[in-house]
Amino acid sequence: MSEESKSLNFIEHIIEEDLASGMSKDDLRFRFPPEPNGYLHIGHTKAIGISFGLGEKYNAPVNLRFDDTNPAKEEQEYVDAIKEDISWLGYQWANELYSSDYFQQLYDWAIHFIKEGKAYVDSQSSEAMAEQKGTPTQPGVDGPYRNRSVKENLELFEKMKNGEFDEGSHVLRAKIDMQHTNMLMRDPIMYRILKKHHHRTGNDWRIYPMYDWTHGESDYIESISHSLCSLEFKPHRELYDWFLDQVVDENKLRPKQREFARLNLSYTIMSKRKLLKLVEEKIVSGWDDPRMPTISGIRRRGYTPNAIRKFVETVGVAKRDNVIDVALLEFCIREDLNKTAPRVMAVLDPVKLVVTNYPEGKEEWLEAENNQEDESAGFRKVPFSRELYIEREDFKEQAGSKFYRLQLGGEVRLKNAYIVKGESVVKDPEGNITAIHCTYSEDTSKKVKGTLHWVSIKNAIKAEVREYDRLFMDEAPDSYPDKDFMEFLNPESLKIVTAYVEPSLKEAKLGERFQFQRIGYFNVDKDSTSEKLVFNKTVGLRDSWEKQKPQSNEQEKQRKKQNNQPQRKAIDVIQQLGKKYTNLPEEKQLRTKAEIQELAKKVSYDELEPWFNTAAKKVGTRIATLITLRVLLEKGLKRTSEMDEFIDSAKEDSSELLAKEAKLI
């Protein structure tokens, strides 16, 4: 098997086999069929990515077809939102279509079914139908109306269409087999009476087709070659094929349904019904609340289309359901914004810093790099003055040797500016620090351990910052049969603070994204005005949840079991991962990098330092060293000349992967 063949997912293998068996590439056609009864969420991005991704790979058309067969729940608002979301992700559909486009054709086919003795009008109550349908282990029994005459069925169906009956009084059912082992094949409902206004067809119809009847027939009408669904539709495939058997022309392309595992995300609710409950009970501000997993919500929070697409690619296409850690999604947005987001300084919990030996009234505009990851990003000017704001947590009167921020008698570097030394503090009557006095030195070549961000009080702009966190505190909030998912809401999912930001942000535009240095990534919210800036926290610079994760009983048992066995050191696992790194496809490299970053938290500098002498040809190990070193530096490790020599050597290496990783430090 070739390397190219190995890298194909199972759906691509199916398509390649079809092409090898004689299907023309020109016959390939895909579709994404959302129901417009709510907003798309992160789970839908996988289905979107698969169908539209295949369209891009094979240069084949992809239809956007709205499954609008239930007017009781569907609205034009949702249609518009879905189109906006898909466009924002960067995908283009070939045709915008609706199941309602085919209502007449579906009705005509239903008449044909009745005439052929393959459908009948059932007048039982829903409870009676459910009872006579049997169970998965017990066959069903024929209902009392199953053998109505063709004439009577046609008359009743016509009256159903004309609105002469009440909702729930009659349905049209396919006549298949009430003893079938697949319960979906036990005379499924094709039409029900719904006297509701439809957002496109108005009041033209009083009967509406069921999804199983509409799905395959719509695919057939549109000449869809591969109808891709999530795994819960696998039992429906037999019914999909049976309905097609009754209508297909052997000279026309027949669609093929295939199923993939849906995207499930930890700490996240995917049910539209439950998401609607959050909106209706005002737990969130709306469908686009940045805590919501809706595409509109994560867009407002500051996520990028590129990060979402990268996440979907990394997750891949699987045949079995699993739960993806939300940390991977957060990793993808960090990686993307790290390359593109301008760096700025903002203070979220300010305390005054007075530089006592800096002249009163003096002001300097110092040069600051916009993004060290992007050489074309250039520089900006930031004002420096005698009185500044720094983060309150960046100062302690006395601290241990592991505290690399400002303390009395200690020195730190102010980002893009001078080195300052803590001298004294001013306190209010309650003992709270109101100001820190320090002195500065113009000798910026001095080696100090810590670097702090700051803003000049005179020039600072006041802004509202919304610090968002995960909406739920449990990894699977809707998995408990005896508990309501609402019990797991995180009371700290939104914290609003008044912050001070550097003046370069005065003209920041809606949606623009920034890295608030040493804090995280933020974007300008739609609530911003010319008088008041509002920023949303997209994601922190590091995962703050890993150390908080509660362990399940099973996890605890596993942990105890592992504790009784010899444990491999994190540094050894990193070395093993590094050896394979350059041979991995890009999506697996991304996963491996995230794994190394987690392991690096358990590594000491003494363990890592010998790796600086790794042979030049061992590129993967050197990349793993750089990834680990970057984590240690972010945790406050003091940079040394040995590190610089190793990093500089990597920057000049012929391996693009190695050089790229070195430039990130």
Side-chain angles (χ1 to χ4, degrees):
M1 186 181 289
S2 68
E3 287 299 317
E4 182 181 0
S5 177
K6 278 192 221 175
S7 67
L8 297 176
N9 63 54
F10 80 92
I11 292 176
E12 291 168 339
H13 272 295
I14 290 170
I15 294 171
E16 291 295 334
E17 288 168 5
D18 288 340
L19 293 174
S21 299
M23 176 185 279
S24 169
K25 201 169 183 180
D26 293 337
D27 286 336
L28 290 178
R29 184 181 293 271
F30 310 100
R31 90 287 176 268
F32 175 63
E35 183 180 358
N37 64 348
Y39 284 68
L40 297 182
H41 54 62
I42 186 68
H44 292 110
T45 59
K46 182 174 181 179
I48 294 169
I50 288 173
S51 292
F52 283 95
L54 289 170
E56 291 176 353
K57 178 181 177 70
Y58 292 101
N59 194 28
V62 183
N63 290 344
L64 172 59
R65 181 177 75 236
F66 291 95
D67 171 34
D68 57 343
T69 60
N70 186 358
K73 296 183 178 180
E74 295 156 3
E75 298 177 20
Q76 185 63 38
E77 172 193 352
Y78 299 136
V79 171
D80 296 338
I82 289 168
K83 289 163 61 177
E84 181 182 3
D85 290 343
I86 296 172
S87 296
W88 176 75
L89 285 169
Y91 296 114
Q92 293 183 328
W93 51 89
N95 304 289
E96 180 183 328
L97 301 167
Y98 297 80
S99 294
S100 54
D101 294 336
Y102 315 129
F103 279 175
Q104 186 61 51
Q105 176 64 79
L106 291 167
Y107 176 78
D108 292 343
W109 273 331
I111 294 293
H112 174 72
F113 272 45
I114 294 172
K115 290 179 177 179
E116 293 285 314
K118 295 174 181 176
Y120 64 96
V121 174
D122 196 337
S123 306
Q124 298 180 89
S125 67
S126 57
E127 292 79 12
M129 279 191 282
E131 188 175 342
Q132 54 95 37
K133 201 168 184 179
T135 69
T137 57
Q138 289 183 318
V141 295
D142 292 355
Y145 302 104
R146 196 172 193 266
N147 295 313
R148 272 175 165 158
S149 68
V150 170
K151 180 181 178 184
E152 185 180 6
N153 282 320
L154 288 173
E155 289 175 353
L156 288 169
F157 192 48
E158 180 69 17
K159 289 180 179 180
M160 286 171 61
K161 177 180 180 290
N162 294 337
E164 296 181 35
F165 298 125
D166 293 335
E167 291 185 8
S169 58
H170 304 281
V171 294
L172 182 73
R173 298 177 71 176
K175 187 187 286 189
I176 305 179
D177 181 359
M178 289 301 295
Q179 284 78 47
H180 202 287
T181 53
N182 183 346
M183 286 189 68
L184 294 170
M185 300 294 286
R186 296 178 189 175
D187 292 9
I189 297 173
M190 296 174 66
Y191 278 91
R192 76 284 205 202
I193 301 168
L194 278 177
K195 296 183 178 181
K196 301 286 191 298
H197 181 84
H198 190 280
H199 70 102
R200 292 188 74 244
T201 61
N203 298 316
D204 292 350
W205 293 87
R206 289 291 180 263
I207 54 172
Y208 288 92
M210 300 297 288
Y211 177 80
D212 278 327
W213 166 232
T214 310
H215 179 200
E217 280 27 56
S218 298
D219 288 341
Y220 176 62
I221 292 168
E222 295 174 17
S223 298
I224 300 301
S225 60
H226 297 80
S227 178
L228 307 174
C229 315
S230 49
L231 276 180
E232 64 261 35
F233 289 100
K234 189 167 186 176
H236 296 247
R237 193 202 294 183
E238 191 172 10
L239 180 56
Y240 179 97
D241 288 334
W242 187 89
F243 277 137
L244 285 177
D245 287 342
Q246 317 312 314
V247 301
V248 294
D249 181 332
E250 61 181 20
N251 296 316
K252 187 177 177 181
L253 179 72
R254 179 190 178 112
K256 177 187 291 187
Q257 177 180 307
R258 291 297 180 265
E259 307 82 17
F260 56 85
R262 66 189 302 171
L263 174 58
N264 299 301
L265 206 60
S266 65
Y267 296 97
T268 308
I269 292 288
M270 297 293 195
S271 162
K272 285 183 183 178
R273 177 180 57 82
K274 292 176 180 177
L275 292 175
L276 178 60
K277 185 176 180 181
L278 293 173
V279 174
E280 290 178 338
E281 296 193 11
K282 302 192 182 305
I283 303 298
V284 294
S285 61
W287 286 99
D288 69 344
D289 187 298
R291 291 166 292 178
M292 289 280 274
T294 54
I295 296 176
S296 55
I298 59 180
R299 177 169 64 242
R300 184 175 175 186
R301 186 160 175 168
Y303 274 73
T304 63
N306 188 54
I308 301 300
R309 291 178 68 154
K310 189 67 178 178
F311 170 68
V312 171
E313 289 171 17
T314 305
V315 169
V317 182
K319 292 183 179 181
R320 294 184 180 178
D321 278 329
N322 60 351
V323 178
I324 305 300
D325 193 332
V326 70
L328 178 60
L329 175 62
E330 293 168 350
F331 174 80
C332 289
I333 187 61
R334 283 191 197 97
E335 286 288 292
D336 189 46
L337 292 180
N338 182 56
K339 301 169 191 169
T340 59
R343 276 52 167 165
V344 296
M345 292 192 289
V347 176
L348 274 56
D349 184 16
V351 63
K352 183 188 288 188
L353 183 72
V354 181
V355 188
T356 57
N357 63 336
Y358 194 85
E360 290 191 41
K362 182 179 178 182
E363 182 177 284
E364 291 179 86
W365 286 79
L366 306 175
E367 194 169 72
E369 193 174 18
N370 285 330
N371 187 346
Q372 64 269 31
E373 310 299 331
D374 181 3
E375 293 180 3
S376 65
F379 294 81
R380 70 190 187 285
K381 295 288 187 179
V382 292
F384 185 87
S385 58
R386 179 185 172 91
E387 294 188 345
L388 314 170
Y389 282 134
I390 64 169
E391 297 287 352
R392 189 170 293 275
E393 69 171 17
D394 280 342
F395 174 77
K396 288 184 180 179
E397 291 184 74
Q398 285 88 33
S401 59
K402 298 292 185 181
F403 187 76
Y404 298 131
R405 288 165 279 176
L406 185 61
Q407 57 183 297
L408 293 182
E411 292 184 312
V412 295
R413 186 183 305 277
L414 296 180
K415 183 73 176 173
N416 307 308
Y418 301 108
I419 292 171
V420 296
K421 181 179 180 180
E423 303 288 358
S424 62
V425 296
V426 177
K427 297 183 179 181
D428 63 17
E430 285 75 41
N432 301 308
I433 295 173
T434 57
I436 304 159
H437 287 185
C438 67
T439 54
Y440 87 104
S441 168
E442 293 187 353
D443 179 11
T444 56
S445 63
K446 203 186 301 184
K447 295 270 186 181
V448 292
K449 288 184 178 179
T451 300
L452 308 185
H453 61 278
W454 52 274
V455 293
S456 165
I457 293 178
K458 176 185 174 183
N459 308 89
I461 298 171
K462 189 183 288 188
E464 178 181 305
V465 171
R466 299 170 181 174
E467 294 189 272
Y468 292 104
D469 204 344
R470 296 176 188 174
L471 189 55
F472 295 97
M473 301 183 72
D474 191 90
E475 287 187 87
D478 58 349
S479 65
Y480 300 90
D482 57 338
K483 292 185 179 180
D484 186 342
F485 74 100
M486 301 281 272
E487 293 179 37
F488 301 103
L489 284 167
N490 179 7
E492 303 294 325
S493 64
L494 171 59
K495 180 183 175 185
I496 299 176
V497 301
T498 298
Y500 293 89
V501 301
E502 67 174 65
S504 69
L505 290 171
K506 186 176 182 180
E507 304 301 325
K509 301 291 189 297
L510 170 63
E512 285 188 320
R513 305 173 183 92
F514 302 91
Q515 184 196 99
F516 287 2
Q517 290 182 302
R518 300 180 62 239
I519 301 175
Y521 295 97
F522 295 76
N523 78 314
V524 183
D525 187 73
K526 67 178 185 179
D527 290 341
S528 277
T529 66
S530 56
E531 290 76 35
K532 180 184 178 183
L533 275 174
V534 179
F535 290 94
N536 296 323
K537 181 179 180 180
T538 305
V539 68
L541 290 181
R542 286 176 289 279
D543 181 5
S544 62
W545 276 73
E546 184 63 30
K547 58 187 177 185
Q548 301 178 33
K549 274 187 186 175
Q551 290 185 316
S552 67
N553 290 336
E554 191 57 41
Q555 287 174 320
E556 182 65 17
K557 286 179 188 174
Q558 190 66 23
R559 183 185 66 79
K560 287 179 179 177
K561 182 180 176 182
Q562 290 173 345
N563 284 345
N564 293 326
Q565 298 174 354
Q567 292 289 299
R568 291 183 69 194
K569 288 185 176 180
I571 193 74
D572 295 333
V573 179
I574 291 173
Q575 185 176 37
Q576 195 65 32
L577 293 170
K579 287 178 181 178
K580 303 174 182 178
Y581 195 89
T582 54
N583 295 324
L584 299 173
E586 186 179 358
E587 65 271 13
K588 287 192 177 178
Q589 283 181 352
L590 193 58
R591 291 183 197 172
T592 302
K593 182 174 180 178
E595 192 175 346
I596 292 172
Q597 287 175 322
E598 282 303 311
L599 289 164
K601 297 173 185 176
K602 305 173 186 175
V603 171
S604 70
Y605 177 65
D606 289 340
E607 291 177 303
L608 186 66
E609 187 179 22
W611 287 16
F612 293 165
N613 299 317
T614 301
K617 65 180 181 180
K618 295 183 178 180
V619 176
T621 303
R622 292 167 73 199
I623 290 173
T625 306
L626 287 167
I627 295 170
T628 307
L629 178 58
R630 184 178 171 196
V631 172
L632 296 182
L633 289 169
E634 287 176 348
K635 287 173 65 180
L637 178 68
K638 183 180 177 181
R639 194 155 169 166
T640 66
S641 57
E642 290 81 6
M643 295 179 200
D644 289 336
E645 186 177 337
F646 176 69
I647 294 166
D648 290 342
S649 171
K651 285 180 180 177
E652 303 300 322
D653 197 89
S654 59
S655 167
E656 290 185 11
L657 273 177
L658 181 63
K660 178 182 176 184
E661 206 59 53
K663 289 173 184 176
L664 293 176
I665 301 180

